[in-house]
Amino acid sequence: MDQAAAPPNPSPWSATRFEHEAGPPRLCEFLEARPPTSSRHAKLIEGLRQRIGGIERHESELGPRAGSALRSTTHRPIPWTVGAREIDVCLGPLGLNAVAIHEIKPSTAGAGAAAASMGFALRLAANRLQQLKAAQPECASPRILWCITRASLNETGELYAPGLAALGLDPASLLIVETARAADALWAMEEGLKSAGLALVIGQPGKIDLTPARRLSLAAKQAATPCLLLTPHNAPAAAATSTRWRIDPTPSALHRFDARAPGDTRVTATLERCQHHPSG
């Protein structure tokens, strides 16, 4: 762990730097003892260290985010399946990794491909909510955090409540954050994951660099909360993802009553990356 350079006139305490990705900071790391100016100061510092150490030991015994209502009471992960048999067979019995981030990209430019990607993400979100409620019916209805930049919003448009309902997603379950900058959207996503009180975090920050992607992956793992990352078709592949999907729009299914009318919405999903494939 790197330490900050000491000032010309050292104070009784000096700050200790830490890397966020190395794990959650401990409060006692902010205090580095220097020769105490009096026995009273020494007793005060020792008392603070003991209290902080007791709090951190208590949190360690409880485990990460033990109070979250979305954690399985039997310590077994709740399956998150896609809902298409051909895909779920490839992913294994637990489906998508529910403590990781998953990238969804349109295969081509254009509004149709972008809409198909959003529809795929929303369908996965609806499955997540339904499977959580089925596994833990006694818990309060979980929420989904949707973070989007203004630039992405101008490209894809706002979410449409009747369309959400048609996909099986209650519009009231969404918490929507719109930001001016991509950095702000990434910050909101990370904080949402850390809260461990959400069923899912979905973000449209534009392209994402290596360090923010790893921070999101670490937060998802520590809080046991999954994240869907919607990125542009021409953006470099995001790092630290469990899966990566390419989505193409596909003609709708046949209408059951009128062959001239559009039926159920369909997309073509290509699984480009699967880190935790059951076959290894």
Side-chain angles (χ1 to χ4, degrees):
M1 183 176 296
D2 299 333
Q3 296 199 356
N9 297 316
S11 62
W13 306 282
S14 66
T16 299
R17 289 170 47 205
F18 61 91
E19 293 295 335
H20 177 83
E21 291 186 6
R26 296 190 177 277
L27 297 179
C28 59
E29 292 180 356
F30 288 95
L31 299 179
E32 179 186 291
R34 293 192 181 275
T37 57
S38 68
S39 59
R40 179 174 175 271
H41 287 164
K43 290 180 181 179
L44 176 62
I45 293 172
E46 184 60 28
L48 287 172
R49 281 203 177 111
Q50 290 178 0
R51 292 180 62 185
I52 292 170
I55 293 171
E56 292 177 341
R57 283 194 299 273
H58 180 63
E59 291 180 347
S60 177
E61 292 170 358
L62 289 177
R65 308 295 185 182
S68 172
L70 300 181
R71 290 179 63 86
S72 173
T73 56
T74 60
H75 303 287
R76 289 177 297 183
I78 298 172
W80 182 19
T81 57
V82 175
R85 180 181 175 278
E86 297 82 357
I87 297 177
D88 288 329
V89 167
C90 296
L91 294 175
L94 294 178
L96 292 167
N97 187 355
V99 295
I101 59 176
H102 305 270
E103 185 179 15
I104 300 173
K105 303 173 74 70
S107 291
T108 59
S117 295
M118 290 182 65
F120 182 72
L122 290 167
R123 186 59 241 179
L124 291 181
N127 288 353
R128 174 71 174 161
L129 289 185
Q130 293 166 4
Q131 290 158 12
L132 283 174
K133 290 177 182 178
Q136 299 178 336
E138 72 283 356
C139 292
S141 297
R143 297 295 183 91
I144 293 172
L145 177 64
W146 185 290
C147 301
I148 185 170
T149 62
R150 197 163 299 155
S152 297
L153 190 65
N154 291 337
E155 292 289 333
T156 61
E158 295 184 352
L159 297 174
Y160 183 54
L164 295 175
L167 288 170
L169 192 61
D170 182 2
S173 64
L174 283 175
L175 303 173
I176 301 174
V177 175
E178 178 187 336
T179 67
R181 301 185 308 157
D184 296 331
L186 291 168
W187 177 86
M189 293 170 63
E190 186 177 349
E191 292 301 310
L193 290 170
K194 288 179 179 178
S195 73
L198 298 168
L200 177 65
V201 172
I202 305 175
Q204 287 180 272
K207 73 173 186 177
I208 179 169
D209 294 329
L210 175 62
T211 298
R214 286 182 173 173
R215 290 174 67 100
L216 290 177
S217 178
L218 180 63
K221 182 177 181 180
Q222 289 182 336
T225 304
C227 174
L228 296 180
L229 194 61
L230 280 75
T231 57
H233 80 284
N234 56 352
T241 59
S242 178
T243 63
R244 183 182 310 113
W245 303 82
R246 287 278 183 179
I247 308 300
D248 284 301
T250 302
S252 64
L254 295 176
H255 196 283
R256 66 179 65 184
F257 301 119
D258 187 351
R260 297 170 297 176
D264 294 334
T265 301
R266 299 191 301 183
V267 300
T268 298
T270 302
L271 183 57
E272 284 189 346
R273 169 182 167 85
C274 187
Q275 183 182 22
H276 300 288
H277 192 281
S279 63

